[in-house]
Amino acid sequence: MTRRKLIAAALFFTLFGVIALLPPLVLLFRFDARIGGVPVETVYVFVLWAILVIGARWFSRVLPDDDQLLRHTQDREP
Amino acid sequence: MTLTADFVIATAVAYVGLLFLVAFLGDRHTRNRQGGFLRSPFVYTLSISVYCTSWTFYGAVGTAARTGLEFTTIYLGPTLVFIGWWFILRRLVRISHDQRITSIADLLSSRFGKSSPLGVLVTILAVIAIAPYIALQLKAVTSSIQAIAGSSEYGHGSIEGWDEVGLAFGVAAGMALFTILFGTRNVDAKEQHHGVVAAIALEAVVKLTALIAVGVFVLYAGGGLENIFTRAAEQGLNIHATETFGDRWIATMLLAASAIICLPRQFQVTVVENSDESHLRTASWAFPAYMLAMSLFIVPIALYGLTTMPEGSNPDMFTLTLPLAAGQEGLALFAFIGGFSSATSMIILESIALSIMVSNHIVVPVMLRFSADDSPGDGLGVRRLILNARRLSILLILFLGFSYFSLTRTSDALAPIGLISFAGVAQFLPAILAALFWRDASTKAAVAGVTIGFIVWFWSSFLPSFASSSPMVAEIMQNGPAGLTWLRPQALFGLDRLDPLAHAVFWSLFLNTTVLIVGSLITSQSALEHVQAAIFLNVARHGSGEPNPLRGSATADDLFLVARRVLGHQRAFDLFREEARQTGTAWTSIEPSPNFIHRLERELAGSIGAASAHVMLSKVVSGGVISLEEVMQMADETQQAIEHSQALERASAQLRATAEKLEVANRQLRLVDQQKDEFLSQVSHEVRTPMTAIRAFSEILLSEDELDQAASRKFISTIHKESLRLTSLLDEILDLSALERGERVWESRPINAEETLDQAMRVCDALARQNRTRMVSGPRASVAIVSADADRLSQVLINLISNAIKYNDAENPEVVIRSRIDGEQYIIEVADNGSGIPEEERGRIFDKFYRGRNGEATSYAGAGLGLPISQQIIARMRGTLELVPKTTVGACFRATLPLAEHEKPSEPEEEARKPASERLRTSA
């Protein structure tokens, strides 16, 4: 992926997290069922949370490190 | 061994001693080694987890017991901000590094034109807003001590007889002492406190392991996750059934997300204490993971507590009381230390952050105003003053927290108190986002927005928390001030359908943002605001492309005096010596360059904040105002230049395209021009030959009197023949040019082309006989109706056949005429058995005046216009005339005409009347 696409993906990932944690989407998981005794909405919130952490770790590795780029452009400026 | 209050207090003090040691070692470590372990991204992440206070440690369990999953929003909000670190936090860190921002008040004041009023406003409001949060910590620590004291008969020990308030005061006093010792040992250059951060990181580990230990204990005691949940469900404890995902869910998540940016201590650890931007990368997932780990056991602890603890126990204290009730005193002590850790780390950092704000934005400006004399002093004066100001503000902050606690102590739950603080600091969010992303946000609008937001917050969120202790507040809550029911704090403008928290968040942030935006639209920025706005946006976009806000002249002596007052003699001396070394001058004769002044300002800002540093330096640097205007202009011009150059780029691309088209057109024009010249010269040449003959013979006739009758008759007949040739040449030229210009109009009507072909063959019969050429009629179509003019078609066919006869150089010359109908086309072919047309001439055979080598050699040499005219005529009948490529023997011309019934009925003559060149263009 190009630099711009990666950044767009990171933005989408963040916004996806926001939407997934707010009603109406979160209400989808509000039904009376239990997984291993735990209500399904609780499982949903924690699993989504874990996915967000894993995704954030991936993005933290692949998002461009533009410090060098920055220094480069600064050097060129008079 | 029985746990007593004395024992846990002693343990707490010992623990504080350990923290102090860690901080001391941490400071020494970084001083000696420039980094190392303490500057690792994980220590950074652990220090950010100061976000998890005793609200998390104790309060989250309470919230889970009361309202189920709602507690997770407090951690999900920050999770979202951190996974989106690239967009907000990264900018904040970069800008703050670049501008040496020391606090959130400094950030806002710096962005909005180094505005002192805004800095003061933000500082005061932050101190007020944080008071409930501090109170929460005091309450948690007090409750935890009481819980231990109440757990056994002799538990109270020496605090026997102390009431809650007294205990809380003791805790507050202890904390104040501890924080002063901890946080105000020195005024650091960048306000980075590596020792404190080390201690905070240790506390983060302690509280996490303590909470996980309690969680594991609960899982063990409760017989596993499924058992705990099932038993709770059997007892009718269904946290599932509460109204979880409503307006409150959204409001708390928004508040938590803004708190992770706006809380002074979070800003301190995340932004100010950040020593490397890449640490944020690690924290972006590690901090959410930390919070996830903290939250994992909250629900099981809450449910297990609700099912096993006696009715009426405080769910906020389950983390502590569950191990106590099970007789696990070691675990209970660990849990107490964990809770104590989370409270102390919050109080230490929050008061350090706030005290920096108070000293930089209130105390130092006041001092600057009242100490107009620039007496050199010993350099320690300002530093001592700053330190004392910070100590005083720590006392003040803890005192405010304690006051809030004692006024509202009847409220039982921890979390709602914290949310009041969150809603308060969230009022900075619109201004911060505007600072990062909106160039046109103005200071006046920011001040107005924050003020309005705070008034609404104070009215609808802060004030109601006193309802239990003040009858007057309760009355206002019930009926509104002076009976104005539309001003009831929790139903402003009659909006009473929302949860009180969501109500306060909605109105305060909505009005805050509206005022900020509308205000910025109708007010204008000052020069300095303009500059700072540009710097903030440029830092985020291209790194630091900052201009120098202060340019002008100042003497090195003046600058040194200012630097010494703030930084102390040694650091000021080092700074100047470094400058002297770089410029290669003796340090007493330094010419302060704008860069140097700017660096000095940033150094000063690291100690006393941007606004104060600016004020201090403006006192000694002259010409600052003019250069500001200049800089503003420069910033504007740069911006305009960028936009301009983009526009230019677009325009030049268009120009390039146009130029290319022009070039093509020009090339065509030149070609046409050349053709015209060639045509003219050929015409002259063709006309000249017969003219020369005519002239020569008539001259002979005129000059020679003795010519006999026969000779003169021969001459006259030659003249006649030549003038006929001339006339026919001119006729042809006229005909061709008329054809080309579309002036020859004839009526096309359906004719039988076969008849015309027969007629043409008859006409050429005589010529064929004369040349002893055999004319063979090959396979023929019987009838071919085409739309054409019979005379013109005949002209073409005669031309083709006579050419074939005339230029046939074979021994037994033969001309074959064939015709056929192929689909919708009528095809005539005239072929001869001569030597044909050489390959290199084929391309030019239809050119005007082109006769080919054969043609020139024969006595029949025409003007070379027959074929071009024929081609034009056929083209106007919508047909084609071509030389059949590659014949084995001789040449073969083929005329193709569309059959009449297949012709399109429309555009009959219109198209035909157009000149050939034009038709080419329309079909192209």
Side-chain angles (χ1 to χ4, degrees):
Chain A
M1 271 200 278
T2 61
R3 180 195 145 87
R4 276 215 313 271
K5 277 195 175 179
L6 269 176
I7 293 174
L11 181 63
F12 167 75
F13 181 65
T14 311
L15 294 180
F16 165 77
V18 174
I19 299 298
L21 286 169
L22 290 179
L25 210 55
V26 76
L27 291 174
L28 279 181
F29 296 87
R30 216 181 128 69
F31 54 90
D32 204 0
R34 281 161 188 269
I35 300 170
V38 186
V40 72
E41 55 180 5
T42 311
V43 174
Y44 170 71
V45 168
F46 279 91
V47 167
L48 181 65
W49 199 341
I51 290 172
L52 290 179
V53 169
I54 293 165
R57 179 165 164 80
W58 186 77
F59 275 111
S60 78
R61 280 154 173 247
V62 297
L63 274 174
D65 181 9
D66 53 9
D67 270 2
Q68 277 181 326
L69 186 83
L70 203 76
R71 254 171 252 138
H72 183 64
T73 46
Q74 273 173 350
D75 287 347
R76 279 187 309 168
E77 279 167 16
Chain B
M1 184 198 77
T2 311
L3 275 186
T4 63
D6 287 345
F7 182 70
V8 292
I9 289 171
T11 314
V13 171
Y15 179 66
V16 165
L18 174 70
L19 290 182
F20 206 79
L21 185 69
V22 169
F24 175 73
L25 291 177
D27 267 344
R28 213 172 60 172
H29 183 80
T30 40
R31 222 188 338 267
N32 291 346
R33 255 174 265 177
Q34 279 297 313
F37 166 71
L38 285 179
R39 292 200 180 165
S40 81
F42 287 98
V43 169
Y44 174 68
T45 306
L46 286 175
S47 69
I48 294 175
S49 57
V50 70
Y51 179 73
C52 299
T53 65
S54 51
W55 173 359
T56 304
F57 200 84
Y58 295 122
V61 175
T63 314
R66 294 182 183 95
T67 50
L69 273 182
E70 190 192 296
F71 81 95
T72 55
T73 56
I74 302 303
Y75 312 102
L76 287 172
T79 296
L80 293 172
V81 172
F82 266 80
I83 64 173
W85 63 285
W86 184 269
F87 305 98
I88 295 179
L89 291 176
R90 196 176 59 105
R91 279 169 184 251
L92 266 181
V93 167
R94 188 167 285 178
I95 289 171
S96 303
H97 275 190
D98 244 69
Q99 300 296 307
R100 297 221 159 190
I101 299 296
T102 58
S103 67
I104 197 151
D106 195 23
L107 177 88
L108 288 177
S109 123
S110 181
R111 156 61 178 82
F112 292 102
K114 306 199 175 176
S115 152
S116 303
L118 185 61
V120 173
L121 180 74
V122 171
T123 303
I124 293 175
L125 298 181
V127 169
I128 297 173
I130 292 305
Y133 208 171
I134 303 267
L136 185 157
Q137 313 301 326
L138 295 179
K139 186 179 168 71
V141 174
T142 312
S143 305
S144 65
I145 294 176
Q146 281 178 324
I148 286 176
S151 67
S152 63
E153 199 179 338
Y154 307 105
H156 285 84
S158 56
I159 63 161
E160 184 72 56
W162 287 37
D163 67 349
E164 199 183 24
V165 175
L167 192 57
F169 184 79
V171 172
M175 290 284 183
L177 182 70
F178 180 41
T179 310
I180 287 171
L181 287 174
F182 234 103
T184 61
R185 284 168 304 165
N186 50 12
V187 186
D188 213 355
K190 261 184 79 187
E191 292 301 357
Q192 288 188 337
H193 308 74
H194 298 291
V196 176
V197 167
I200 299 296
L202 174 68
E203 293 198 290
V205 176
V206 169
K207 66 192 177 196
L208 179 65
T209 42
L211 194 61
I212 288 179
V214 174
V216 170
F217 158 74
V218 162
L219 281 190
Y220 174 73
L225 201 62
E226 186 158 4
N227 266 345
I228 293 175
F229 274 93
T230 319
R231 206 172 309 145
E234 279 163 7
Q235 294 195 14
L237 293 169
N238 201 357
I239 57 169
H240 185 69
T242 49
E243 192 51 54
T244 310
F245 303 121
D247 50 359
R248 216 179 136 81
W249 175 271
I250 303 172
T252 48
M253 199 173 308
L254 174 67
L255 283 185
S258 72
I260 201 71
I261 301 168
C262 302
L263 276 174
R265 72 168 191 285
Q266 291 309 137
F267 191 86
Q268 178 78 26
V269 286
T270 313
V271 178
V272 181
E273 305 279 355
N274 176 297
S275 54
D276 185 342
E277 201 181 295
S278 68
H279 290 177
L280 205 51
R281 217 171 258 274
T282 307
S284 73
W285 62 269
F287 177 54
Y290 182 94
M291 291 189 293
L292 178 60
M294 282 294 264
S295 308
L296 270 182
F297 295 101
I298 300 286
V299 178
I301 294 174
L303 289 181
Y304 183 67
L306 285 175
T307 47
T308 57
M309 294 299 280
E311 193 83 8
S313 329
N314 182 1
D316 279 332
M317 285 294 135
F318 279 165
T319 318
L320 189 59
T321 49
L322 280 173
L324 272 180
Q328 296 282 341
E329 300 205 324
L331 183 61
L333 184 63
F334 190 27
F336 172 79
I337 292 296
F340 184 73
S341 272
S342 44
T344 45
S345 52
M346 180 273 174
I347 291 181
I348 292 169
L349 264 185
E350 199 77 78
S351 22
I352 288 177
L354 285 174
S355 72
I356 290 170
M357 283 160 69
V358 171
S359 74
N360 285 359
H361 293 278
I362 299 178
V363 179
V364 172
V366 168
M367 173 204 82
L368 283 176
R369 185 155 301 171
F370 289 108
S371 67
D373 67 309
D374 291 324
S375 59
D378 54 0
L380 294 174
V382 172
R383 292 159 58 74
R384 197 177 295 140
L385 182 82
I386 291 173
L387 283 180
N388 283 333
R390 291 190 184 172
R391 286 170 187 145
L392 268 175
S393 16
I394 289 171
L395 286 179
L396 171 80
I397 289 154
L398 278 161
F399 177 73
L400 282 177
F402 168 74
S403 309
Y404 185 87
F405 167 76
S406 62
L407 284 173
T408 62
R409 65 181 179 279
T410 43
S411 61
D412 53 344
L414 288 174
I417 309 176
L419 284 170
I420 294 172
S421 285
F422 273 23
V425 292
Q427 303 310 319
F428 302 140
L429 186 68
I432 290 176
L433 291 182
L436 292 185
F437 297 104
W438 193 25
R439 187 185 283 267
D440 291 323
S442 78
T443 309
K444 290 173 199 136
V447 170
V450 170
T451 310
I452 291 286
F454 250 88
I455 291 171
V456 176
W457 166 79
F458 187 88
W459 186 252
S460 60
S461 189
F462 191 71
L463 192 68
S465 60
F466 296 101
S468 58
S469 59
S470 156
M472 194 184 80
V473 173
E475 163 65 18
I476 290 176
M477 297 271 295
Q478 194 64 39
N479 302 319
L484 297 170
T485 51
W486 58 274
L487 274 181
R488 274 176 301 155
Q490 294 187 337
L492 277 179
F493 311 111
L495 184 70
D496 54 3
R497 290 181 183 189
L498 286 179
D499 170 85
L501 178 77
H503 169 269
V505 170
F506 168 73
W507 277 123
S508 58
L509 282 180
F510 170 68
L511 293 175
N512 182 337
T513 312
T514 308
V515 168
L516 174 67
I517 293 175
V518 175
S520 297
L521 294 178
I522 59 176
T523 56
S524 56
Q525 292 178 319
S526 73
L528 193 50
E529 274 176 76
H530 213 93
V531 173
Q532 291 298 104
I535 290 174
F536 269 54
L537 274 138
N538 285 342
V539 163
R541 239 176 249 160
H542 320 288
S544 58
E546 50 185 311
N548 304 308
L550 266 180
R551 294 200 313 177
S553 54
T555 65
D557 283 350
D558 285 345
L559 290 178
F560 184 71
L561 285 181
V562 171
R564 204 170 68 166
R565 281 184 72 191
V566 179
L567 304 172
H569 184 82
Q570 192 54 44
R571 271 189 54 207
F573 183 76
D574 289 347
L575 198 67
F576 274 72
R577 197 178 49 190
E578 176 63 20
E579 170 71 8
R581 200 181 56 76
Q582 279 180 3
T583 54
T585 47
W587 90 275
T588 41
S589 56
I590 288 176
E591 288 283 326
S593 64
N595 273 337
F596 178 63
I597 297 177
H598 183 62
R599 206 168 72 226
L600 189 61
E601 186 180 337
R602 291 208 315 183
E603 285 291 330
L604 296 184
S607 284
I608 55 174
S612 300
H614 189 68
V615 171
M616 267 194 121
L617 274 188
S618 326
K619 280 183 160 185
V620 290
V621 178
S622 57
V625 178
I626 297 165
S627 56
L628 277 179
E629 300 288 345
E630 229 174 312
V631 169
M632 183 199 73
Q633 212 175 347
M634 274 163 51
D636 257 2
E637 278 166 7
T638 312
Q639 181 67 22
Q640 279 171 3
I642 290 168
E643 283 163 13
H644 214 77
S645 89
Q646 285 166 347
L648 269 179
E649 237 166 77
R650 280 194 297 274
S652 84
Q654 284 173 345
L655 271 179
R656 265 200 304 279
T658 316
E660 269 164 31
K661 279 186 210 156
L662 268 178
E663 174 120 17
V664 170
N666 193 26
R667 230 177 290 139
Q668 283 177 338
L669 267 180
R670 272 205 303 273
L671 197 67
V672 171
D673 187 49
Q674 199 185 340
Q675 285 171 347
K676 189 200 74 184
D677 284 349
E678 276 170 18
F679 179 75
L680 273 180
S681 84
Q682 275 169 338
V683 168
S684 325
H685 179 76
E686 297 295 330
V687 172
R688 197 183 154 84
T689 318
M691 283 303 280
T692 314
I694 291 168
R695 208 181 84 193
F697 285 114
S698 43
E699 272 169 9
I700 294 172
L701 284 174
L702 283 175
S703 57
E704 300 285 331
D705 294 334
E706 288 128 40
L707 268 179
D708 59 19
Q709 190 74 15
S712 58
R713 198 175 164 75
K714 191 178 152 209
F715 286 166
I716 289 169
S717 96
T718 308
I719 290 174
H720 180 242
K721 212 166 73 193
E722 287 299 315
S723 38
L724 280 181
R725 209 176 116 192
L726 194 58
T727 317
S728 96
L729 171 69
L730 291 176
D731 279 346
E732 282 184 352
I733 290 175
L734 279 175
D735 193 26
L736 182 64
S737 87
L739 272 172
E740 279 188 339
R741 276 183 281 124
E743 282 171 3
R744 280 280 184 278
V745 180
W746 66 76
E747 204 181 331
S748 288
R749 54 196 153 73
I751 53 163
N752 186 356
E754 281 293 298
E755 278 174 17
T756 317
L757 183 57
D758 284 338
Q759 195 192 336
M761 285 169 70
R762 276 196 298 278
V763 170
C764 294
D765 196 42
L767 183 68
R769 280 172 205 280
Q770 196 182 336
N771 284 27
R772 291 191 304 279
T773 302
R774 208 160 70 88
M775 199 150 57
V776 182
S777 185
R780 296 279 299 274
S782 50
V783 177
I785 307 296
V786 299
S787 171
D789 179 275
D791 291 344
R792 283 297 188 164
L793 183 56
S794 167
Q795 181 189 347
V796 171
L797 295 174
I798 290 169
N799 180 256
L800 288 180
I801 296 168
S802 62
N803 277 354
I805 294 168
K806 281 189 281 186
Y807 302 119
N808 194 335
D809 53 0
E811 240 172 84
N812 297 309
E814 193 180 87
V815 172
V816 182
I817 291 118
R818 300 184 283 263
S819 72
R820 63 175 192 274
I821 288 177
D822 184 5
E824 298 167 8
Q825 310 282 343
Y826 170 61
I827 298 166
I828 303 170
E829 282 178 352
V830 180
D832 63 59
N833 61 344
S835 56
I837 298 163
E839 190 62 43
E840 65 271 18
E841 290 181 5
R842 285 173 165 265
R844 299 188 57 197
I845 199 75
F846 289 104
D847 287 358
K848 288 165 217 160
F849 301 110
Y850 189 80
R851 282 179 293 245
R853 268 175 317 192
N854 279 355
E856 272 164 26
T858 59
S859 49
Y860 304 104
L865 288 174
L867 278 178
I869 289 176
S870 301
Q871 199 182 32
Q872 286 288 338
I873 291 171
I874 295 291
R876 291 201 40 194
M877 293 172 182
R878 296 194 182 83
T880 52
L881 177 64
E882 61 194 332
L883 177 62
V884 177
K886 302 251 164 148
T887 44
T888 46
V889 154
C892 176
F893 284 88
R894 178 189 292 157
T896 311
L897 287 169
L899 289 173
E901 56 267 35
H902 295 289
E903 254 193 314
K904 287 177 201 151
S906 61
E907 50 176 7
E909 277 300 284
E910 288 303 311
E911 181 71 10
R913 238 175 251 137
K914 282 186 196 161
S917 54
E918 219 174 280
R919 240 174 307 144
L920 276 176
R921 233 176 293 139
T922 48
S923 64

